[in-house]
Amino acid sequence: MTTSPTPPQGLTVRPATLDDAAAVCALLNEVDVLEIGRADTETAEVRADFVHPEVDLERDSWLLFDGDLLVGYALAWDESGGERIDVDHYVLPGRPQGALHLLDLLEARAAERAAANGASRAVVHLHLNTEPTTDPRDLRARGWRTVRRYNVLARRIGADTDPLPKAPPGVVLRPCLAEEDRRCAHALLQESFTEHFDHQPRTYAQWLDDIDAPNVDWSLIWVAHVEGLGDAAVLRTHDNRPSMGWIGNLGVLAEARGRGIGSHLLRHAFGHYAALGRDRIGLGVDTDNSSGALALYERHGMTLDHAVDTWELIRPAA
């Protein structure tokens, strides 16, 4: 393993452990408040990242301390098995050298993981809010560039205004309570998102790890059966965000598009979460998505909450 550079004076770095999940969550919520105005991270999300089989906490995570105060957190993981490596990077304002130090560690580890996969280069992706605590000028100076923007859209919902909709003719939704339906949901997601930017093919077992399957409420994931086509669309949602219900994926096979199925799934999510007592629901959408998803969501009253940029760095594997 590559020797880690020395932290800036007055700061210390160590790997995360499972016992650090609550402290990391508190840090991420502090960053959330600074960047988007509200806390929106749950400890369960952090813990799921920590136990993901594609993360080795000893080598892929870093906690940055100023004395006893946790001021930064970074994580690297590999979904591609090739050159693509994903990273997270969070540092509180006022510690620019600490932020750069975590980038040093992330970039070196990404190059190392890509090399272990047999790749000649590392293509590293980092998602940051458009007004991040990380200084974008520092990223650009290191060779990072923005390659995509995602809009986080949200909408107010209520039991009076958003009843469960009537399905289009020939369309039947079923929740993924059975194993065969869960496998069907996975297959539909893989096929419907195959041409999307940054899509990484995932086996069923890998997908279960990605969505933290032991803690998933499978009644909040639905498959749409379309007469004459079979199972043709999927809606994956979850109810574990503090500020809103969340639509993680809405996928419709190409041959089933243009029949109002996407609109029905969206309205179904509105109605279901309103009945659960939620007053707000959100999702993320690629602003360059060619399927018309952004326009669909906007037609149904979803508006911009905040935006997230994908930053990319390409460097030789090491």
Side-chain angles (χ1 to χ4, degrees), residues 23-302:
V24 170
C25 181
L27 172 69
L28 300 190
N29 276 322
E30 193 171 349
V31 172
D32 284 345
V33 170
L34 292 169
E35 293 184 345
I36 63 173
R38 65 176 183 273
D40 213 20
T41 305
E42 288 285 321
T43 302
E45 296 177 62
V46 178
R47 189 173 292 114
D49 288 342
F50 282 5
V51 301
H52 197 288
E54 290 163 1
V55 170
D56 177 350
L57 282 182
E58 182 65 29
R59 297 188 293 170
D60 295 326
S61 70
W62 300 267
L63 302 184
L64 179 70
F65 290 90
D66 186 345
D68 294 329
L69 180 65
L70 179 63
V71 297
Y73 163 67
L75 186 74
W77 69 97
D78 167 23
E79 290 185 0
S80 73
E83 66 181 19
R84 259 291 314 286
I85 308 296
D86 290 282
V87 300
D88 280 339
H89 179 272
Y90 303 90
V91 179
L92 294 178
R95 297 165 180 86
Q97 294 307 309
L100 293 173
H101 179 63
L102 287 186
L103 286 171
D104 286 338
L105 296 169
L106 282 171
E107 292 170 14
R109 179 60 177 154
E112 186 179 54
R113 292 203 67 165
N117 291 337
S120 61
R121 66 178 190 170
V123 179
V124 194
H125 279 193
L126 167 66
H127 299 289
L128 291 176
N129 291 321
T130 51
E131 297 183 8
T133 56
T134 301
D135 191 334
R137 293 171 298 183
D138 289 338
L139 291 170
R140 293 190 185 97
R142 301 172 70 93
W144 291 82
R145 64 189 182 99
T146 55
V147 293
R148 211 70 165 190
R149 174 161 291 185
Y150 293 84
N151 281 353
V152 175
L153 306 180
R155 182 186 186 276
R156 289 287 177 185
I157 54 175
D160 294 336
T161 56
D162 297 287
L164 281 172
K166 181 180 178 181
V171 177
V172 178
L173 300 190
R174 67 181 187 276
C176 292
L177 303 180
E179 174 70 11
E180 61 184 320
D181 293 325
R182 299 171 189 181
R183 290 184 176 273
C184 180
H186 163 258
L188 288 167
L189 287 170
Q190 291 298 298
E191 184 173 351
S192 60
F193 283 91
T194 187
E195 295 181 356
H196 283 217
F197 175 77
D198 235 1
H199 173 73
Q200 297 294 321
R202 305 293 280 163
T203 67
Y204 179 62
Q206 289 172 326
W207 180 66
L208 292 179
D209 289 329
D210 294 343
I211 64 173
D212 190 24
N215 297 306
V216 165
D217 182 347
W218 292 99
S219 71
L220 299 177
I221 303 176
W222 295 270
V223 167
H225 185 88
V226 181
E227 186 177 355
L229 289 178
D231 295 330
V234 59
L235 172 67
R236 185 178 76 86
T237 75
H238 48 89
D239 195 24
N240 57 5
R241 290 202 174 200
S243 63
M244 66 183 83
W246 189 255
I247 299 171
N249 304 105
L250 195 165
V252 181
L253 298 185
E255 60 267 29
R257 293 170 189 163
R259 300 183 179 211
I261 298 170
S263 289
H264 176 61
L265 291 175
L266 192 61
R267 289 286 179 182
H268 182 82
F270 294 169
H272 191 88
Y273 276 85
L276 291 177
R278 284 289 201 168
D279 62 4
R280 203 160 177 259
I281 193 165
L283 53 75
V285 59
D286 181 355
T287 57
D288 290 329
N289 187 318
S290 61
S291 69
L294 178 59
L296 167 69
Y297 302 145
E298 291 176 339
R299 284 200 306 272
H300 288 278
M302 305 197 79

